[in-house]
Amino acid sequence: MIINKNMSFFVLSIALVFFMFGCASRGKIRPQPLGKEAMTIQDLQKNWKEYDISYAGSTARPIGIIFDTRNDNKRMVGDIWLKVEDQETLSRLMGSIPGKASPYTITGGKDNYLYGYFAYTNFTSHTRRGTAGYSHSVVAKVIDENTIQVNLVRQEIIDSYNY
């Protein structure tokens, strides 16, 4: 009986440690609170030189755009992101963002530091039959105290009306 209690306590302790480490290493991507100080898509485009900007997909059909703040020693990385080099490319990308969309904040680390912003485009791909397709979700993982990895995860969409 005592051995079972000790074993249960040990297993619970190990699970708690893994849970705490798992939560600590995740970045957070959240909509901004409404208010005067909220960043807008227009603010990001106007102040584009203050950010290292990257996108996923193509310039004709981007999936998302990240805005990494330049004036800090923090950075966002990822394998799929392509760097925006000029304002013309940015304008083309920004045209794919839905009209009233707000950028999401990307934060991470112990102090919930603001790494930058993420803007979804309105891109969803569908098959020819229209019964299934996919969209993307963005996830962030803290690599170290100065780096967060941002990736897109493909999600299947099933049109339940066609079944």
Side-chain angles (χ1 to χ4, degrees):
M1 182 91 157
I2 293 175
I3 293 174
N4 282 341
K5 284 184 179 180
N6 288 339
M7 182 60 92
S8 296
F9 179 75
F10 177 73
V11 170
L12 183 60
S13 298
I14 295 296
L16 185 59
V17 167
F18 280 113
F19 176 76
M20 289 186 329
F21 280 116
C23 291
S25 66
R26 296 183 75 196
K28 296 179 184 122
I29 300 157
R30 296 205 169 125
Q32 296 183 73
L34 298 174
K36 292 181 182 179
E37 62 277 345
M39 182 65 69
T40 66
I41 297 293
Q42 292 77 19
D43 292 335
L44 291 170
Q45 188 168 10
K46 180 178 151 189
N47 302 315
W48 73 281
K49 289 186 178 185
E50 296 177 16
Y51 302 94
D52 288 323
I53 305 168
S54 301
Y55 67 98
S58 69
T59 55
R61 293 185 78 176
I63 299 166
I65 308 166
I66 56 175
F67 297 82
D68 184 359
T69 309
R70 279 190 180 168
N71 62 358
D72 59 9
N73 64 345
K74 310 284 187 178
R75 61 191 181 110
M76 293 191 281
V77 298
D79 295 336
I80 62 168
W81 302 103
L82 304 168
K83 191 162 181 64
V84 174
E85 301 290 345
D86 56 64
Q87 193 170 13
E88 181 182 328
T89 302
L90 178 61
S91 294
R92 194 172 322 124
L93 293 168
M94 296 301 266
S96 65
I97 297 172
K100 302 247 184 221
S102 292
Y104 289 75
T105 60
I106 300 176
T107 60
K110 293 180 266 185
D111 58 352
N112 234 8
Y113 185 83
L114 175 65
Y115 280 81
Y117 300 93
F118 176 80
Y120 272 113
T121 63
N122 206 12
F123 174 71
T124 302
S125 176
H126 295 282
T127 63
R128 279 187 240 164
R129 292 190 344 220
T131 58
Y134 63 89
S135 68
H136 294 85
S137 292
V138 64
V139 294
K141 178 182 176 186
V142 175
I143 303 299
D144 61 37
E145 64 184 42
N146 293 322
T147 311
I148 194 166
Q149 184 176 25
V150 181
N151 289 313
L152 292 170
V153 177
R154 184 173 155 166
Q155 295 179 321
E156 299 294 325
I157 298 172
I158 307 278
D159 183 357
S160 60
Y161 296 109
N162 290 333
Y163 292 110

